Protein backbone atom coordinates (compact mmCIF):
# COMPACT_ATOMS: atom_id res chain seq x y z
CA UNK A 1 0.00 0.00 0.00
CA UNK A 2 0.92 3.70 -0.16
CA UNK A 3 2.85 4.91 2.95
CA UNK A 4 0.68 6.98 5.35
CA UNK A 5 3.12 9.97 5.29
CA UNK A 6 2.85 10.12 1.49
CA UNK A 7 -0.95 10.18 1.69
CA UNK A 8 -0.83 12.93 4.32
CA UNK A 9 1.60 14.96 2.19
CA UNK A 10 -0.65 14.53 -0.83
CA UNK A 11 -3.66 15.59 1.23
CA UNK A 12 -1.84 18.68 2.52
CA UNK A 13 -0.68 19.66 -0.97
CA UNK A 14 -4.21 19.31 -2.40
CA UNK A 15 -5.84 21.42 0.31
CA UNK A 16 -3.04 23.99 -0.09
CA UNK A 17 -3.70 24.07 -3.82
CA UNK A 18 -7.45 24.47 -3.23
CA UNK A 19 -6.82 27.44 -0.92
CA UNK A 20 -4.54 29.07 -3.51
CA UNK A 21 -7.15 28.56 -6.23
CA UNK A 22 -9.82 30.21 -4.04
CA UNK A 23 -7.43 33.15 -3.42
CA UNK A 24 -6.74 33.43 -7.14
CA UNK A 25 -10.45 33.37 -7.93
CA UNK A 26 -11.16 36.07 -5.33
CA UNK A 27 -8.33 38.16 -6.76
CA UNK A 28 -9.71 37.89 -10.28
CA UNK A 29 -13.18 38.79 -8.98
CA UNK A 30 -11.81 41.89 -7.24
CA UNK A 31 -10.23 43.08 -10.48
CA UNK A 32 -13.59 42.76 -12.25
CA UNK A 33 -15.48 44.77 -9.61
CA UNK A 34 -15.88 48.53 -10.13
CA UNK A 35 -17.66 51.14 -7.98
CA UNK A 36 -20.99 52.58 -9.17
CA UNK A 37 -19.43 56.07 -8.98
CA UNK A 38 -17.88 55.47 -12.43
CA UNK A 39 -21.33 54.95 -13.95
CA UNK A 40 -22.84 57.85 -11.97
CA UNK A 41 -20.35 60.33 -13.48
CA UNK A 42 -21.47 59.43 -17.00
CA UNK A 43 -25.13 59.43 -15.98
CA UNK A 44 -24.91 62.85 -14.32
CA UNK A 45 -23.33 64.55 -17.36
CA UNK A 46 -25.92 63.24 -19.82
CA UNK A 47 -28.90 63.74 -17.46
CA UNK A 48 -27.99 67.41 -16.84
CA UNK A 49 -27.89 68.00 -20.58
CA UNK A 50 -31.31 66.31 -21.09
CA UNK A 51 -32.83 68.37 -18.22
CA UNK A 52 -31.46 71.57 -19.78
CA UNK A 53 -32.82 70.65 -23.24
CA UNK A 54 -36.25 69.95 -21.71
CA UNK A 55 -36.16 73.18 -19.69
CA UNK A 56 -36.85 71.26 -16.43
CA UNK A 57 -35.58 72.30 -13.00
CA UNK A 58 -34.28 69.10 -11.45
CA UNK A 59 -32.11 68.14 -8.53
CA UNK A 60 -30.26 64.90 -9.41
CA UNK A 61 -29.06 62.85 -6.45
CA UNK A 62 -26.80 59.78 -6.59
CA UNK A 63 -26.46 57.44 -3.63
CA UNK A 64 -24.15 54.42 -3.18
CA UNK A 65 -21.03 55.55 -5.11
CA UNK A 66 -18.98 52.79 -3.44
CA UNK A 67 -21.37 49.92 -4.23
CA UNK A 68 -19.43 47.54 -6.48
CA UNK A 69 -20.66 45.75 -9.56
CA UNK A 70 -19.07 43.51 -12.20
CA UNK A 71 -17.52 45.73 -14.91
CA UNK A 72 -19.32 43.80 -17.66
CA UNK A 73 -22.74 44.17 -16.00
CA UNK A 74 -22.09 47.86 -15.37
CA UNK A 75 -21.37 48.44 -19.07
CA UNK A 76 -24.70 46.78 -19.91
CA UNK A 77 -26.52 49.05 -17.41
CA UNK A 78 -25.49 52.40 -18.92
CA UNK A 79 -28.23 52.42 -21.55
CA UNK A 80 -31.13 51.07 -19.38
CA UNK A 81 -30.38 53.51 -16.53
CA UNK A 82 -30.13 56.42 -18.95
CA UNK A 83 -33.45 55.39 -20.44
CA UNK A 84 -35.17 55.30 -17.04
CA UNK A 85 -33.70 58.66 -15.95
CA UNK A 86 -34.75 60.21 -19.28
CA UNK A 87 -38.30 58.89 -18.76
CA UNK A 88 -38.36 60.48 -15.30
CA UNK A 89 -37.12 63.81 -16.66
CA UNK A 90 -39.39 63.84 -19.69
CA UNK A 91 -42.60 62.20 -18.48
CA UNK A 92 -42.33 62.16 -14.68
CA UNK A 93 -41.13 65.57 -13.50
CA UNK A 94 -43.71 68.28 -14.23
CA UNK A 95 -42.96 71.81 -15.41
CA UNK A 96 -42.23 74.29 -12.62
CA UNK A 97 -45.66 76.01 -12.89
CA UNK A 98 -47.53 72.66 -12.73
CA UNK A 99 -45.51 71.68 -9.68
CA UNK A 100 -46.31 74.98 -7.96
CA UNK A 101 -50.00 74.53 -8.73
CA UNK A 102 -49.86 71.13 -7.00
CA UNK A 103 -48.11 72.60 -3.97
CA UNK A 104 -44.80 70.90 -4.80
CA UNK A 105 -41.43 72.70 -4.81
CA UNK A 106 -40.78 73.92 -8.37
CA UNK A 107 -37.53 71.93 -8.59
CA UNK A 108 -38.12 68.23 -9.17
CA UNK A 109 -36.05 65.46 -7.57
CA UNK A 110 -34.59 62.33 -9.13
CA UNK A 111 -32.65 59.97 -6.89
CA UNK A 112 -30.54 57.08 -8.21
CA UNK A 113 -29.46 54.61 -5.50
CA UNK A 114 -27.32 51.47 -5.53
CA UNK A 115 -27.00 49.04 -2.63
CA UNK A 116 -26.07 45.44 -2.08
CA UNK A 117 -28.64 42.86 -0.95
CA UNK A 118 -27.24 39.35 -0.55
CA UNK A 119 -25.92 38.18 -3.93
CA UNK A 120 -27.59 41.06 -5.74
CA UNK A 121 -27.12 44.76 -6.31
CA UNK A 122 -30.34 46.79 -6.31
CA UNK A 123 -30.46 49.95 -8.43
CA UNK A 124 -33.38 52.31 -7.92
CA UNK A 125 -34.43 55.39 -9.86
CA UNK A 126 -37.01 57.41 -7.95
CA UNK A 127 -38.71 60.65 -8.97
CA UNK A 128 -41.24 62.92 -7.26
CA UNK A 129 -43.08 63.66 -10.48
CA UNK A 130 -46.67 63.07 -11.53
CA UNK A 131 -46.63 59.28 -11.28
CA UNK A 132 -48.19 56.93 -13.80
CA UNK A 133 -51.86 57.30 -14.71
CA UNK A 134 -53.07 53.70 -14.43
CA UNK A 135 -56.57 54.61 -15.61
CA UNK A 136 -55.19 56.07 -18.82
CA UNK A 137 -52.97 53.04 -19.48
CA UNK A 138 -55.88 50.70 -18.78
CA UNK A 139 -58.15 52.55 -21.18
CA UNK A 140 -55.44 52.42 -23.82
CA UNK A 141 -54.92 48.69 -23.14
CA UNK A 142 -58.63 47.94 -23.62
CA UNK A 143 -58.54 49.81 -26.93
CA UNK A 144 -55.52 47.70 -27.99
CA UNK A 145 -57.23 44.49 -26.86
CA UNK A 146 -54.80 43.70 -24.00
CA UNK A 147 -57.67 43.60 -21.48
CA UNK A 148 -61.42 43.10 -21.86
CA UNK A 149 -63.60 46.04 -20.79
CA UNK A 150 -64.52 45.61 -17.12
CA UNK A 151 -62.05 42.74 -16.50
CA UNK A 152 -60.55 42.60 -13.00
CA UNK A 153 -56.86 43.45 -13.35
CA UNK A 154 -54.34 44.31 -10.66
CA UNK A 155 -52.11 47.40 -10.52
CA UNK A 156 -49.14 45.13 -11.36
CA UNK A 157 -50.93 43.81 -14.45
CA UNK A 158 -51.46 47.36 -15.70
CA UNK A 159 -47.87 48.43 -14.96
CA UNK A 160 -46.66 45.23 -16.64
CA UNK A 161 -48.05 46.54 -19.94
CA UNK A 162 -45.32 49.19 -20.00
CA UNK A 163 -42.86 46.38 -20.73
CA UNK A 164 -44.74 45.25 -23.84
CA UNK A 165 -42.92 46.07 -27.08
CA UNK A 166 -44.51 49.09 -28.75
CA UNK A 167 -47.13 49.58 -26.04
CA UNK A 168 -46.64 53.31 -25.95
CA UNK A 169 -48.35 54.78 -28.99
CA UNK A 170 -48.55 58.50 -29.56
CA UNK A 171 -52.26 58.55 -30.44
CA UNK A 172 -53.15 61.40 -28.16
CA UNK A 173 -51.93 59.56 -25.07
CA UNK A 174 -48.97 61.82 -24.49
CA UNK A 175 -48.86 61.34 -20.70
CA UNK A 176 -47.97 57.69 -21.09
CA UNK A 177 -46.15 57.76 -24.39
CA UNK A 178 -42.57 57.64 -23.26
CA UNK A 179 -43.30 55.94 -19.96
CA UNK A 180 -43.53 52.75 -21.97
CA UNK A 181 -41.11 53.71 -24.71
CA UNK A 182 -38.11 51.48 -24.50
CA UNK A 183 -39.11 49.75 -21.25
CA UNK A 184 -39.24 46.49 -23.22
CA UNK A 185 -35.60 47.14 -24.20
CA UNK A 186 -34.72 47.87 -20.55
CA UNK A 187 -36.23 44.54 -19.52
CA UNK A 188 -34.39 42.70 -22.31
CA UNK A 189 -31.03 44.24 -21.30
CA UNK A 190 -31.60 43.19 -17.69
CA UNK A 191 -32.59 39.65 -18.55
CA UNK A 192 -29.40 39.37 -20.61
CA UNK A 193 -27.36 39.66 -17.39
CA UNK A 194 -29.78 37.64 -15.25
CA UNK A 195 -31.53 40.65 -13.66
CA UNK A 196 -35.13 41.83 -13.29
CA UNK A 197 -37.01 45.15 -13.35
CA UNK A 198 -40.22 46.35 -11.73
CA UNK A 199 -42.11 49.64 -11.56
CA UNK A 200 -43.89 51.12 -8.54
CA UNK A 201 -45.86 54.31 -8.88
CA UNK A 202 -48.26 56.54 -6.95
CA UNK A 203 -50.40 58.93 -8.97
CA UNK A 204 -49.42 62.55 -8.30
CA UNK A 205 -46.51 61.59 -6.04
CA UNK A 206 -43.93 59.89 -8.22
CA UNK A 207 -42.48 56.71 -9.66
CA UNK A 208 -39.79 54.26 -8.62
CA UNK A 209 -38.11 51.81 -11.00
CA UNK A 210 -36.24 48.98 -9.25
CA UNK A 211 -33.54 46.94 -11.01
CA UNK A 212 -32.27 43.71 -9.38
CA UNK A 213 -28.85 42.58 -10.67
CA UNK A 214 -26.40 39.77 -9.92
CA UNK A 215 -23.16 41.18 -8.44
CA UNK A 216 -21.02 39.25 -10.91
CA UNK A 217 -21.44 37.17 -14.03
CA UNK A 218 -18.47 34.86 -13.78
CA UNK A 219 -18.79 32.61 -10.74
CA UNK A 220 -22.05 31.56 -9.13
CA UNK A 221 -22.82 29.63 -6.04
CA UNK A 222 -25.53 27.26 -7.18
CA UNK A 223 -27.72 24.47 -5.91
CA UNK A 224 -27.54 21.40 -8.13
CA UNK A 225 -30.85 19.60 -8.63
CA UNK A 226 -31.68 16.47 -10.60
CA UNK A 227 -34.83 15.86 -12.62
CA UNK A 228 -34.84 12.33 -14.02
CA UNK A 229 -31.50 12.00 -15.80
CA UNK A 230 -30.91 15.78 -16.09
CA UNK A 231 -28.92 17.91 -13.64
CA UNK A 232 -29.57 21.66 -13.44
CA UNK A 233 -27.95 24.45 -11.44
CA UNK A 234 -30.12 27.06 -9.67
CA UNK A 235 -28.28 30.26 -8.59
CA UNK A 236 -28.23 30.41 -4.75
CA UNK A 237 -28.87 34.17 -4.81
CA UNK A 238 -32.43 33.60 -5.98
CA UNK A 239 -33.29 30.67 -3.66
CA UNK A 240 -35.37 31.41 -0.57
CA UNK A 241 -35.68 27.87 0.79
CA UNK A 242 -36.15 24.23 -0.17
CA UNK A 243 -38.99 22.06 1.11
CA UNK A 244 -39.77 18.36 0.97
CA UNK A 245 -43.37 17.30 0.46
CA UNK A 246 -45.45 14.44 -0.85
CA UNK A 247 -47.19 14.58 -4.22
CA UNK A 248 -50.71 14.69 -2.73
CA UNK A 249 -49.98 18.10 -1.12
CA UNK A 250 -49.97 19.68 -4.59
CA UNK A 251 -53.31 21.25 -5.57
CA UNK A 252 -54.45 22.57 -8.95
CA UNK A 253 -56.01 26.04 -9.32
CA UNK A 254 -57.08 27.25 -12.78
CA UNK A 255 -54.88 24.60 -14.43
CA UNK A 256 -51.87 25.79 -12.40
CA UNK A 257 -50.22 23.52 -9.82
CA UNK A 258 -49.84 25.23 -6.44
CA UNK A 259 -48.99 24.50 -2.82
CA UNK A 260 -49.89 26.40 0.31
CA UNK A 261 -46.78 27.73 2.04
CA UNK A 262 -47.28 29.61 5.32
CA UNK A 263 -50.80 30.80 4.38
CA UNK A 264 -49.87 31.92 0.89
CA UNK A 265 -50.35 30.22 -2.44
CA UNK A 266 -47.13 29.38 -4.27
CA UNK A 267 -47.32 28.51 -8.00
CA UNK A 268 -45.23 25.49 -9.05
CA UNK A 269 -43.24 24.91 -12.20
CA UNK A 270 -42.05 21.56 -13.53
CA UNK A 271 -38.80 21.78 -15.45
CA UNK A 272 -39.59 18.69 -17.50
CA UNK A 273 -42.62 20.52 -18.98
CA UNK A 274 -40.62 23.64 -19.82
CA UNK A 275 -37.73 21.72 -21.36
CA UNK A 276 -39.80 18.84 -22.71
CA UNK A 277 -38.07 16.07 -20.74
CA UNK A 278 -39.45 12.66 -19.73
CA UNK A 279 -41.56 13.16 -16.58
CA UNK A 280 -40.36 11.96 -13.18
CA UNK A 281 -42.65 9.60 -11.30
CA UNK A 282 -43.99 11.39 -8.24
CA UNK A 283 -43.98 8.35 -5.99
CA UNK A 284 -42.90 9.16 -2.45
CA UNK A 285 -41.54 12.59 -1.63
CA UNK A 286 -40.51 15.38 -3.96
CA UNK A 287 -38.65 18.63 -3.37
CA UNK A 288 -39.68 22.19 -4.12
CA UNK A 289 -36.99 24.85 -4.51
CA UNK A 290 -38.64 28.19 -3.66
CA UNK A 291 -37.08 30.91 -5.84
CA UNK A 292 -37.83 34.62 -5.99
CA UNK A 293 -36.91 37.58 -8.15
CA UNK A 294 -38.08 41.17 -7.79
CA UNK A 295 -40.71 40.28 -5.15
CA UNK A 296 -42.25 37.38 -7.10
CA UNK A 297 -41.90 33.79 -5.94
CA UNK A 298 -42.48 30.35 -7.42
CA UNK A 299 -41.53 26.75 -6.65
CA UNK A 300 -39.42 24.53 -8.91
CA UNK A 301 -40.44 20.89 -8.51
CA UNK A 302 -37.49 18.50 -8.49
CA UNK A 303 -36.85 14.85 -7.68
CA UNK A 304 -33.48 15.25 -6.00
CA UNK A 305 -31.29 17.90 -4.35
CA UNK A 306 -27.60 17.18 -4.97
CA UNK A 307 -25.95 20.02 -3.05
CA UNK A 308 -24.25 23.42 -3.28
CA UNK A 309 -21.36 24.11 -5.62
CA UNK A 310 -19.43 27.04 -7.07
CA UNK A 311 -19.83 27.00 -10.84
CA UNK A 312 -18.21 29.08 -13.59
CA UNK A 313 -21.06 30.14 -15.82
CA UNK A 314 -20.52 30.37 -19.56
CA UNK A 315 -22.88 31.91 -22.14
CA UNK A 316 -24.76 29.53 -24.43
CA UNK A 317 -24.07 31.56 -27.58
CA UNK A 318 -26.25 32.82 -30.41
CA UNK A 319 -27.76 29.42 -31.28
CA UNK A 320 -29.57 29.33 -27.94
CA UNK A 321 -30.39 33.04 -27.63
CA UNK A 322 -34.11 32.33 -27.96
CA UNK A 323 -34.11 29.62 -25.26
CA UNK A 324 -36.26 30.77 -22.35
CA UNK A 325 -35.27 29.91 -18.80
CA UNK A 326 -31.55 29.28 -19.33
CA UNK A 327 -28.84 31.63 -18.06
CA UNK A 328 -25.90 29.62 -19.38
CA UNK A 329 -23.96 26.39 -18.94
CA UNK A 330 -21.38 25.22 -16.43
CA UNK A 331 -18.81 22.44 -16.43
CA UNK A 332 -18.59 20.21 -13.37
CA UNK A 333 -15.41 18.63 -12.03
CA UNK A 334 -16.23 15.29 -13.68
CA UNK A 335 -16.21 16.97 -17.13
CA UNK A 336 -20.01 16.84 -17.45
CA UNK A 337 -21.85 19.97 -18.61
CA UNK A 338 -25.02 21.20 -16.92
CA UNK A 339 -27.48 23.98 -17.70
CA UNK A 340 -27.86 26.94 -15.32
CA UNK A 341 -31.45 28.09 -14.89
CA UNK A 342 -32.44 31.73 -15.33
CA UNK A 343 -34.96 32.26 -12.56
Amino acid sequence: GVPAELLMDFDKTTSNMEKKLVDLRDGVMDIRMVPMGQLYNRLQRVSKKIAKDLGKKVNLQFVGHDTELDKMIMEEMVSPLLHIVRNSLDHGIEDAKDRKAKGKPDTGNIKVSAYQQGNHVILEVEDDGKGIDLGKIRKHAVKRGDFKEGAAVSKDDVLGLLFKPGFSTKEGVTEISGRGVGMDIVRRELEKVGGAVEIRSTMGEGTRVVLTLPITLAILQALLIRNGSRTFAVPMGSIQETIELSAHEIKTMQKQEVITLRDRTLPLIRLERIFDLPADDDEGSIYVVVVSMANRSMGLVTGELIGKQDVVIKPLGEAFSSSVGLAGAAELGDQSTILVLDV
Side-chain angles (χ1 to χ4, degrees), residues 82-94:
L82 200 52
H83 222 106
I84 296 163
V85 171
R86 183 185 279 131
N87 267 348
S88 287
L89 284 164
D90 200 358
H91 307 281
I93 304 291
E94 313 90 334

Side-chain angles (χ1 to χ4, degrees), residues 83-117:
H83 222 106
I84 296 163
V85 171
R86 183 185 279 131
N87 267 348
S88 287
L89 284 164
D90 200 358
H91 307 281
I93 304 291
E94 313 90 334
D95 293 324
K97 63 175 198 304
D98 293 345
R99 289 181 69 87
K100 272 190 173 146
K102 289 179 184 173
K104 290 181 175 181
D106 58 355
T107 300
N109 289 294
I110 295 176
K111 181 173 155 191
V112 183
S113 328
Y115 56 91
Q116 194 176 332
Q117 201 175 67

